[in-house]
Amino acid sequence: MNETGLDDTGADKAGAMLQEAMHRHQQGDLYEAELLYRQTLRLEPQNCQALRLRGILARERGDMDLSLRLLAEAARLEPHNPAPRGELALSYLAIGELDEAERTLRKALAVGQPVNNIRANLGALLQHRGHIKEAISFYREALVSNQEDVEIRCNLAKALADSGQQEEALRECARAAELSGQHPHVLATRGAVLIDAKQFADARPILEQAIALDPADDMALVNFALANYELGDVGGACTVLQQAVSTNPWNARAVADLANCFCALDDTIAALDLCESFLRQNPGERLVVGAYALALHNAGQAAAAAELTDCDKLLRMYELPCPNEFADSAAFNAALVARVRDDPSLTDNPVSKSTLGGAQTGELDLSEPGCLAALGIALKEAVDNAIESYRGAGLADHPLMTPACEDWTMRAWGTLLRANGRQTAHMHPLGWLSGVYYAGIPADMETVNSEAGWLEFGRPPERFFTAGEPATRRYRPSAGTLILFPSWFWHQTIPFESNAPRISIAFDVVPKSMLRIL
């Protein structure tokens, strides 16, 4: 008998079954692989390799409960092996449990010999969550032992660009190109870095080369179209975006940009038809709802546009009560201000965000004990109240409520604006509802008789075509106020003068199904 309780014949049989299961798995025969993994585990219930591989297969087949259960058992049985935890984290990512995925990846790095792909996966998750500095650190660590991993190097380049280190990002792109022989993904990454830096003339030939090598890269097509649009070739941008939509009909960014091009070419009928067709298949998709509202405005259909942009009907404002654990609202807000100012992820003028003349944190953990947990509880209560008020106002069938579900979470981040700082016009395409809570408003900004520092809704970014002046509304921020709105609402802030910063915490209400990033 061996240590598994099987005689040598039984162990040999289990080993042979596992090898055949792995072969079937690699060949894509998932049904037979599942049967063989199951039979292996009947013979050896604690075979960690079989548990891990069957857990991976379950994830591939969409059986997430089974995947999590198998991978958690493998991790329990091999506490010093990081591989099962690395796979468990990927299954958490696949169901939108980003917090649990991050915790699991960090645990995987803390046990046994670190695995390179775990560092890279943690870097990618942190980058997705706005923790750019830490993501860069993990990417660099991953590259120490694998200098030739082009994908990690491209991810590092994008993270460097997001942090404002454009020259270093381009050097990483150049190194990746040397290693890969000008792989189309590398070219597309370099083009994206240049697009983020608004170097459209430099980006255009590089993206054109990337697309020639890989015509199916729809995001490279979107960036190539943007370069054409910004350089004044709206017709060329339109042609490229039509190719992107044909390549990937579900690419909401391509559809929204194409609708904008149609409007710029004075073809609002095509823009409306495109948006309506997409929204029939993808109801409530935020980027396209925003583009549709703008197309309605451009077509002169003011009443229909207002159904999607009416602040009086769709925006909610609340004064949050002081949490019990704080003496008063001033103490609560002071704690939030200090928490944002001290956050290690705070990044000045992050390139891929709308903050200009200030800094923004990565995602904040609203379960963190103290002021953030108290804020999280208060925000959830306000969101629950808003949802009920929308239903009570007869909006249950409005596009606002299309993503409505019980299984949602909040992604929050802090913003610090300095004198003359602002949030440029943007929307929140990953949210269902979005909001901003004001924690620190400069006293002199509150007393001046102007709209400096106010929040404005209704004006899209400059690159979007608008026929005439759009309808806008402005709201004066004050400490303790929460403003909640549909995530497709274009919004920006008005620059202000003050020696003190303007500090707020923004958030998205996100159905967990929309958080899946695998």
Side-chain angles (χ1 to χ4, degrees):
M1 301 286 285
N2 60 30
E3 62 182 8
T4 67
L6 297 174
D7 59 28
D8 290 340
T9 302
D12 289 345
K13 185 177 180 182
M17 274 186 185
L18 180 56
Q19 288 299 314
E20 180 63 17
M22 293 166 61
H23 174 71
R24 295 295 185 96
H25 195 167
Q26 291 169 348
Q27 296 299 310
D29 188 353
L30 302 188
Y31 178 77
E32 286 298 325
E34 164 66 18
L35 291 178
L36 289 164
Y37 284 138
R38 193 183 303 167
Q39 290 170 13
T40 301
L41 288 166
R42 284 199 191 104
L43 292 171
E44 293 185 339
Q46 296 188 340
N47 185 315
C48 290
Q49 186 179 19
L51 285 166
R52 178 173 58 83
L53 293 173
R54 189 183 173 204
I56 294 171
L57 185 147
R59 182 174 69 233
E60 294 169 350
R61 298 181 72 185
D63 189 343
M64 303 311 302
D65 288 341
L66 178 61
S67 178
L68 293 170
R69 188 164 67 251
L70 291 168
L71 292 169
E73 177 65 4
R76 185 187 70 80
L77 291 170
E78 289 191 321
H80 301 297
N81 181 1
R85 282 191 172 86
E87 293 295 340
L88 179 60
L90 294 182
S91 292
Y92 280 126
L93 287 176
I95 61 172
E97 293 287 353
L98 305 193
D99 290 335
E100 198 59 48
E102 183 177 333
R103 282 190 286 268
T104 304
L105 286 169
R106 291 186 186 278
K107 287 179 184 176
L109 287 178
V111 300
Q113 184 65 31
V115 178
N116 214 42
N117 70 310
I118 293 176
R119 288 195 182 99
N121 288 338
L122 182 54
L125 176 56
L126 290 168
Q127 184 176 0
H128 176 75
R129 307 189 83 178
H131 291 265
I132 305 300
K133 298 172 187 175
E134 196 176 8
I136 289 171
S137 175
F138 279 112
Y139 287 143
R140 290 201 187 282
E141 287 178 17
L143 286 170
V144 167
S145 58
N146 190 359
Q147 289 285 322
E148 298 187 358
D149 192 311
V150 170
E151 183 176 357
I152 296 176
R153 199 170 290 279
C154 285
N155 287 345
L156 172 59
K158 280 293 291 168
L160 287 165
D162 285 348
S163 70
Q165 302 177 64
Q166 188 208 10
E167 293 304 318
E168 183 65 20
L170 291 173
R171 280 194 287 273
E172 292 295 345
C173 289
R175 177 61 176 147
E178 291 172 7
L179 293 169
S180 68
Q182 300 282 40
H183 190 280
H185 176 62
V186 175
L187 293 169
T189 299
R190 185 181 177 197
V193 169
L194 291 167
I195 288 287
D196 286 344
K198 302 189 185 309
Q199 297 183 21
F200 302 110
D202 292 335
R204 182 157 61 173
I206 293 166
L207 290 165
E208 187 171 24
Q209 186 181 357
I211 292 161
L213 293 170
D214 183 8
D217 187 341
D218 53 312
M219 286 313 300
L221 286 163
V222 167
N223 280 330
F224 182 44
L226 179 57
N228 281 291
Y229 184 90
E230 293 287 355
L231 293 169
D233 185 4
V234 180
C238 190
T239 299
V240 173
L241 287 167
Q242 286 172 316
Q243 181 182 344
V245 172
S246 176
T247 299
N248 180 6
W250 313 113
N251 188 323
R253 167 70 188 278
V255 171
D257 283 4
L258 180 55
N260 178 57
C261 282
F262 282 143
C263 288
L265 293 170
D266 198 26
D267 192 351
T268 54
I269 292 175
L272 294 172
D273 286 347
L274 174 68
C275 292
E276 289 166 0
S277 175
F278 184 88
L279 291 170
R280 279 194 293 270
Q281 299 296 319
N282 306 273
E285 206 297 321
R286 275 25 196 164
L287 274 171
V288 180
V289 172
Y292 184 48
L294 188 55
L296 288 166
H297 164 80
N298 290 331
Q301 300 183 34
E307 282 295 308
L308 300 172
T309 59
D310 187 347
C311 288
D312 289 334
K313 181 169 70 173
L314 302 177
L315 183 143
R316 297 289 185 271
M317 293 184 67
Y318 301 96
E319 294 297 321
L320 291 193
C322 177
N324 292 333
E325 56 266 46
F326 291 88
D328 53 33
S329 293
F332 174 53
N333 288 326
L336 289 171
V337 165
R339 179 64 184 79
V340 170
R341 295 180 80 156
D342 294 341
D343 193 274
S345 70
L346 199 65
T347 301
D348 281 345
N349 301 318
V351 172
S352 62
K353 306 298 182 182
S354 60
T355 300
L356 190 62
Q360 186 169 315
T361 72
E363 284 189 38
L364 300 170
D365 182 359
L366 294 179
S367 66
E368 178 187 297
C371 60
L372 287 182
L375 177 65
I377 292 169
L379 291 180
K380 184 180 185 307
E381 183 176 347
V383 170
D384 286 339
N385 288 339
I387 292 169
E388 286 307 308
S389 78
Y390 289 135
R391 291 188 174 123
L395 296 173
D397 296 325
H398 191 278
L400 171 70
M401 297 295 286
T402 300
C405 66
E406 298 299 323
D407 194 18
W408 54 266
T409 187
M410 281 187 283
R411 300 179 67 188
W413 58 94
T415 299
L416 183 155
L417 295 178
R418 305 182 184 95
N420 290 312
R422 62 192 178 101
Q423 289 276 303
T424 59
H426 66 288
M427 67 158 68
H428 297 197
L430 298 181
W432 160 21
L433 301 168
S434 296
V436 57
Y437 176 75
Y438 295 101
I441 300 299
D444 51 351
M445 193 189 86
E446 290 185 334
T447 57
V448 294
N449 185 24
S450 76
E451 295 182 347
W454 287 30
L455 176 62
E456 180 185 80
F457 290 95
R459 192 180 306 278
E462 291 181 3
R463 72 180 180 87
F464 280 81
F465 175 83
T466 54
E469 183 71 9
T472 60
R473 285 283 297 273
R474 291 181 178 180
Y475 293 84
R476 183 175 187 165
S478 61
T481 298
L482 165 67
I483 300 179
L484 191 69
F485 51 91
S487 295
W488 69 69
F489 269 26
W490 295 111
H491 55 287
Q492 65 176 353
T493 65
I494 310 303
F496 67 95
E497 289 287 349
S498 175
N499 291 324
R502 174 188 185 279
I503 295 179
S504 59
I505 295 175
F507 63 94
D508 286 337
V509 177
V510 189
K512 287 187 178 179
S513 61
M514 295 170 63
L515 281 173
R516 297 169 185 169
I517 61 175
L518 284 184

